[in-house]
Amino acid sequence: MSGTLYGLGLGPGDPELLTLKAYRILQSAPVIAWPAPDTGPSFARTIAASHLPGGQVEIPIVMPMRTERFPARDVYDRVSVEIAAHLDAGRDVAVLCEGDPFFYGSFMYLFERLAPRYRTEVVPGVSSMMAAASAAGRPLAARNDGLSVLPGPLCDDELTNRINLADAVAIIKIGRHFKRLRALIEKMNLLAQAVYVERVTLGAERLMPLADVPEDTAPYFSMILIYKGGEDWVHSLPGSKA
Amino acid sequence: MSGTLYGLGLGPGDPELLTLKAYRILQSAPVIAWPAPDTGPSFARTIAASHLPGGQVEIPIVMPMRTERFPARDVYDRVSVEIAAHLDAGRDVAVLCEGDPFFYGSFMYLFERLAPRYRTEVVPGVSSMMAAASAAGRPLAARNDGLSVLPGPLCDDELTNRINLADAVAIIKIGRHFKRLRALIEKMNLLAQAVYVERVTLGAERLMPLADVPEDTAPYFSMILIYKGGEDWVHSLPGSKA
């Protein structure tokens, strides 16, 4: 009998924000796979580290960070073959995923290659978006608010139209788009209603009004929350310079 | 020293989808409070049941379901006084929340009354939206998709404009709006791209193409996911009649 492929949501970073289910599977899976950039450690592997019993087979999914998209396809093809061999031999394989596997997660690339052939289970996790709202101390959306989740690489026109129609906004995948995004939000007169959150739930967490961020770039694990009508509150955030 | 108020995200329903942190706090909090309708049991209390050590003080937050909004305010005022007395006496109080406390959660009503005066911590949880995508076996949003979360009570014009601008949509708070929402989605030619999910992660979970739902109403714990461009896939869902 073939093994089961798990897409394991590990939550936003704090190892205590793993689910009991993810914990159980981490403790028992004989094989784990985890994404890592070719420039540094795996964030997913770091979240899981204290929960691993030791002795598992580990499959790094190393992504080239400085090249075009196509090599990523080769990496997923190659890793899928490696994972399939373990599944064929009856061994369960848990793929470690930051946050939630199906909320902008890279697990989808392994899922589309392997789920048609193997029993697959996706274990949802706490998203960094929810954790960011908890850290900010303000509901992200309530009552009949419409919430828009928007990736930073979208162009200014697309972002403007969608932000205009939403009551609350979470902008993800900021990175090198940070400067442009902040300028756009300022142009839309929403700067005073925007919160910047970086590395949420980790020791290095930073949270402050977007207007007060001194840098012109942001790391991958960061997010902008726009609370329309929330000026008064954003100015009173602990990280505020106001 | 005063106790700490916890807003405890318990996840979508499966007791194993609690976080390790929520589990730890459930095990140690001397006082728990939980919302319940005046017509039946508390869903949040049910999720937590198997994790409670027993012997806690319990504060039901009983909401009248058949009347106007104003009595809710009285209930939160009254419960806040009761919770404050425990916090003043140095006892931690954990408020049990389905899903995530700050994602359309009613915890905000206690938070706004008590957080200004007491140490408060919000523990994020797995949202039913993430669990629904996991159950459907399809990423809710990927790459540069924009995702809109829309409450069902919004009027047709507002829904239409926002759905038009989004790549993926989750409609929540469906309940008595189900028939109108399905008609709207059909009118927008999106019926074949919509999935209905009810009581996700529970034994009574139902998941099927929206087009195949026989009823004209839906329970509170249900959701519609619209995957634009996902016709082929939606028709192949296990619950499909196609």
Side-chain angles (χ1 to χ4, degrees), chain A residues 221-236:
Chain A
F221 294 103
S222 61
M223 189 176 302
I224 294 169
L225 305 179
I226 305 176
Y227 290 89
K228 286 200 184 170
E231 292 92 340
D232 295 347
W233 162 73
V234 169
H235 282 304
S236 71

mmCIF file of all heavy atoms in Angstrom, chain A residues 221-236:
data_model
loop_
_atom_site.group_PDB
_atom_site.id
_atom_site.type_symbol
_atom_site.label_atom_id
_atom_site.label_comp_id
_atom_site.label_asym_id
_atom_site.label_seq_id
_atom_site.Cartn_x
_atom_site.Cartn_y
_atom_site.Cartn_z
ATOM 1 N N PHE A 221 8.781 37.915 4.384
ATOM 2 C CA PHE A 221 7.756 37.616 5.395
ATOM 3 C C PHE A 221 7.274 38.907 6.055
ATOM 4 O O PHE A 221 7.537 39.182 7.218
ATOM 5 C CB PHE A 221 8.287 36.612 6.417
ATOM 6 C CG PHE A 221 8.535 35.272 5.800
ATOM 7 C CD1 PHE A 221 9.805 34.843 5.493
ATOM 8 C CD2 PHE A 221 7.467 34.455 5.462
ATOM 9 C CE1 PHE A 221 10.029 33.624 4.877
ATOM 10 C CE2 PHE A 221 7.668 33.224 4.846
ATOM 11 C CZ PHE A 221 8.954 32.807 4.553
ATOM 12 N N SER A 222 6.568 39.702 5.262
ATOM 13 C CA SER A 222 6.001 40.943 5.760
ATOM 14 C C SER A 222 4.668 41.177 5.064
ATOM 15 O O SER A 222 4.340 40.496 4.087
ATOM 16 C CB SER A 222 6.955 42.105 5.484
ATOM 17 O OG SER A 222 7.157 42.249 4.093
ATOM 18 N N MET A 223 3.917 42.126 5.563
ATOM 19 C CA MET A 223 2.545 42.322 5.108
ATOM 20 C C MET A 223 2.102 43.738 5.441
ATOM 21 O O MET A 223 2.584 44.326 6.409
ATOM 22 C CB MET A 223 1.677 41.321 5.871
ATOM 23 C CG MET A 223 0.265 41.209 5.396
ATOM 24 S SD MET A 223 -0.600 39.896 6.308
ATOM 25 C CE MET A 223 0.428 38.467 5.967
ATOM 26 N N ILE A 224 1.210 44.287 4.628
ATOM 27 C CA ILE A 224 0.593 45.577 4.946
ATOM 28 C C ILE A 224 -0.901 45.338 5.142
ATOM 29 O O ILE A 224 -1.542 44.712 4.302
ATOM 30 C CB ILE A 224 0.810 46.604 3.806
ATOM 31 C CG1 ILE A 224 2.304 46.955 3.684
ATOM 32 C CG2 ILE A 224 -0.009 47.868 4.051
ATOM 33 C CD1 ILE A 224 2.640 47.756 2.421
ATOM 34 N N LEU A 225 -1.436 45.802 6.264
ATOM 35 C CA LEU A 225 -2.870 45.735 6.500
ATOM 36 C C LEU A 225 -3.431 47.150 6.387
ATOM 37 O O LEU A 225 -2.878 48.079 6.984
ATOM 38 C CB LEU A 225 -3.176 45.188 7.902
ATOM 39 C CG LEU A 225 -2.580 43.828 8.272
ATOM 40 C CD1 LEU A 225 -2.964 43.459 9.711
ATOM 41 C CD2 LEU A 225 -3.064 42.734 7.319
ATOM 42 N N ILE A 226 -4.486 47.324 5.608
ATOM 43 C CA ILE A 226 -5.145 48.632 5.521
ATOM 44 C C ILE A 226 -6.512 48.514 6.183
ATOM 45 O O ILE A 226 -7.350 47.722 5.755
ATOM 46 C CB ILE A 226 -5.306 49.105 4.061
ATOM 47 C CG1 ILE A 226 -3.940 49.118 3.356
ATOM 48 C CG2 ILE A 226 -5.935 50.494 4.010
ATOM 49 C CD1 ILE A 226 -4.002 49.491 1.880
ATOM 50 N N TYR A 227 -6.675 49.280 7.254
ATOM 51 C CA TYR A 227 -7.946 49.314 7.981
ATOM 52 C C TYR A 227 -8.638 50.618 7.604
ATOM 53 O O TYR A 227 -8.361 51.653 8.203
ATOM 54 C CB TYR A 227 -7.692 49.316 9.491
ATOM 55 C CG TYR A 227 -7.160 48.029 10.075
ATOM 56 C CD1 TYR A 227 -5.795 47.790 10.147
ATOM 57 C CD2 TYR A 227 -8.021 47.068 10.611
ATOM 58 C CE1 TYR A 227 -5.304 46.626 10.721
ATOM 59 C CE2 TYR A 227 -7.533 45.901 11.191
ATOM 60 C CZ TYR A 227 -6.185 45.686 11.233
ATOM 61 O OH TYR A 227 -5.692 44.537 11.807
ATOM 62 N N LYS A 228 -9.541 50.572 6.649
ATOM 63 C CA LYS A 228 -10.176 51.830 6.232
ATOM 64 C C LYS A 228 -10.939 52.457 7.394
ATOM 65 O O LYS A 228 -11.727 51.799 8.065
ATOM 66 C CB LYS A 228 -11.100 51.571 5.051
ATOM 67 C CG LYS A 228 -10.321 51.333 3.761
ATOM 68 C CD LYS A 228 -11.215 51.564 2.567
ATOM 69 C CE LYS A 228 -10.491 51.247 1.277
ATOM 70 N NZ LYS A 228 -11.432 51.242 0.145
ATOM 71 N N GLY A 229 -10.702 53.724 7.625
ATOM 72 C CA GLY A 229 -11.359 54.416 8.731
ATOM 73 C C GLY A 229 -10.641 54.219 10.048
ATOM 74 O O GLY A 229 -11.139 54.632 11.092
ATOM 75 N N GLY A 230 -9.459 53.628 10.025
ATOM 76 C CA GLY A 230 -8.772 53.305 11.284
ATOM 77 C C GLY A 230 -7.655 54.269 11.664
ATOM 78 O O GLY A 230 -6.768 53.912 12.426
ATOM 79 N N GLU A 231 -7.691 55.525 11.175
ATOM 80 C CA GLU A 231 -6.592 56.477 11.433
ATOM 81 C C GLU A 231 -6.239 56.585 12.914
ATOM 82 O O GLU A 231 -5.075 56.459 13.302
ATOM 83 C CB GLU A 231 -6.932 57.903 10.964
ATOM 84 C CG GLU A 231 -7.039 58.082 9.482
ATOM 85 C CD GLU A 231 -8.467 57.884 9.017
ATOM 86 O OE1 GLU A 231 -9.243 57.260 9.769
ATOM 87 O OE2 GLU A 231 -8.796 58.315 7.904
ATOM 88 N N ASP A 232 -7.260 56.879 13.731
ATOM 89 C CA ASP A 232 -7.016 57.159 15.145
ATOM 90 C C ASP A 232 -6.287 56.008 15.801
ATOM 91 O O ASP A 232 -5.339 56.174 16.555
ATOM 92 C CB ASP A 232 -8.338 57.362 15.887
ATOM 93 C CG ASP A 232 -9.046 58.591 15.369
ATOM 94 O OD1 ASP A 232 -8.396 59.370 14.641
ATOM 95 O OD2 ASP A 232 -10.244 58.757 15.682
ATOM 96 N N TRP A 233 -6.734 54.832 15.447
ATOM 97 C CA TRP A 233 -6.194 53.653 16.068
ATOM 98 C C TRP A 233 -4.760 53.370 15.604
ATOM 99 O O TRP A 233 -3.889 53.065 16.408
ATOM 100 C CB TRP A 233 -7.113 52.477 15.758
ATOM 101 C CG TRP A 233 -6.463 51.201 15.962
ATOM 102 C CD1 TRP A 233 -6.162 50.636 17.170
ATOM 103 C CD2 TRP A 233 -5.956 50.343 14.966
ATOM 104 N NE1 TRP A 233 -5.510 49.474 16.979
ATOM 105 C CE2 TRP A 233 -5.366 49.262 15.635
ATOM 106 C CE3 TRP A 233 -5.945 50.362 13.586
ATOM 107 C CZ2 TRP A 233 -4.765 48.222 14.943
ATOM 108 C CZ3 TRP A 233 -5.354 49.331 12.909
ATOM 109 C CH2 TRP A 233 -4.772 48.287 13.593
ATOM 110 N N VAL A 234 -4.508 53.498 14.311
ATOM 111 C CA VAL A 234 -3.170 53.204 13.786
ATOM 112 C C VAL A 234 -2.128 54.121 14.441
ATOM 113 O O VAL A 234 -1.031 53.695 14.794
ATOM 114 C CB VAL A 234 -3.136 53.329 12.239
ATOM 115 C CG1 VAL A 234 -1.705 53.296 11.719
ATOM 116 C CG2 VAL A 234 -3.961 52.209 11.596
ATOM 117 N N HIS A 235 -2.490 55.388 14.638
ATOM 118 C CA HIS A 235 -1.545 56.335 15.257
ATOM 119 C C HIS A 235 -1.203 55.975 16.699
ATOM 120 O O HIS A 235 -0.191 56.418 17.217
ATOM 121 C CB HIS A 235 -2.105 57.755 15.203
ATOM 122 C CG HIS A 235 -1.962 58.374 13.868
ATOM 123 N ND1 HIS A 235 -0.752 58.501 13.230
ATOM 124 C CD2 HIS A 235 -2.890 58.872 13.007
ATOM 125 C CE1 HIS A 235 -0.935 59.061 12.046
ATOM 126 N NE2 HIS A 235 -2.219 59.281 11.874
ATOM 127 N N SER A 236 -2.060 55.207 17.317
ATOM 128 C CA SER A 236 -1.815 54.867 18.725
ATOM 129 C C SER A 236 -1.082 53.554 18.903
ATOM 130 O O SER A 236 -0.886 53.077 20.015
ATOM 131 C CB SER A 236 -3.158 54.822 19.478
ATOM 132 O OG SER A 236 -3.887 53.681 19.060
#
